[in-house]
Amino acid sequence: MLSFATEFPVEADRTTVDFLQAMVTWISGSPHTGLSAEMLRDLLQKDEAHVENGKEKVQSLLATSPDVDLAGIRYSRHDNDLEWLTTVVFSRTSSDAWVGVRVECESQHAAARYTFTLPKSGSDWRGGLNAASDIGRLLF
């Protein structure tokens, strides 16, 4: 599995509506999606929504209280033998706001997983030295 995750601050006056509108624009604007902004309108109108179209699925969740506003989107797409999963969350309190993003790609086919052979004993080529660089070279 490959993954990437990050978090970053956003302006504290941003709202869950701003966040959800940005997610609709981002998803529907991608050249890799079959989901239109019209298909995703439920994300803007409901506290909990689910949209599915062929190999793509979007789920959203929204929660608001006097102290905090929260929203999250989970977008998944099956592309050949790969499953792409993107989770984006938004949190806003009275003093700050931030967005967290996680992107994962998982192979659904066992043969696509990483396999490699490393030296096994001191008499093998390089005696197993620099195994980390061998792994890094093979994976990246």
Side-chain angles (χ1 to χ4, degrees):
M1 171 172 59
L2 299 174
S3 67
F4 168 79
T6 190
E7 296 175 355
F8 52 91
V10 294
E11 295 177 15
D13 62 347
R14 295 296 181 186
T15 66
T16 54
V17 173
D18 295 330
F19 169 76
L20 292 171
Q21 184 59 56
M23 294 298 94
V24 168
T25 301
W26 169 68
I27 294 169
S28 64
S30 170
H32 306 288
T33 189
L35 296 167
S36 67
E38 179 64 25
M39 295 169 77
L40 298 170
R41 73 179 180 277
D42 280 353
L43 304 181
L44 301 171
Q45 299 171 352
K46 297 180 179 178
D47 289 347
E48 188 173 341
H50 177 96
V51 177
E52 198 163 344
N53 182 33
K55 298 178 180 182
E56 297 175 278
K57 180 170 50 173
V58 180
Q59 299 167 285
S60 69
L61 188 60
L62 175 69
T64 303
S65 74
D67 299 329
V68 67
D69 292 329
L70 304 168
I73 293 278
R74 176 168 276 181
Y75 170 75
S76 63
R77 175 182 172 84
H78 290 273
D79 194 15
N80 297 323
D81 288 333
L82 299 175
E83 178 184 16
W84 290 90
L85 180 62
T86 303
T87 305
V88 187
V89 295
F90 170 82
S91 172
R92 182 173 66 96
T93 64
S94 60
S95 60
D96 70 348
W98 58 270
V99 171
V101 180
R102 175 176 295 279
V103 180
E104 301 174 41
C105 181
E106 179 73 36
S107 173
Q108 301 300 305
H109 191 275
R113 299 187 189 274
Y114 299 115
T115 59
F116 46 86
T117 304
L118 293 175
K120 296 174 183 63
S121 72
S123 63
D124 290 333
W125 177 71
R126 289 188 353 182
L129 298 175
N130 298 317
S133 64
D134 285 345
I135 292 170
R137 181 179 47 77
L138 292 166
L139 292 178
F140 308 106

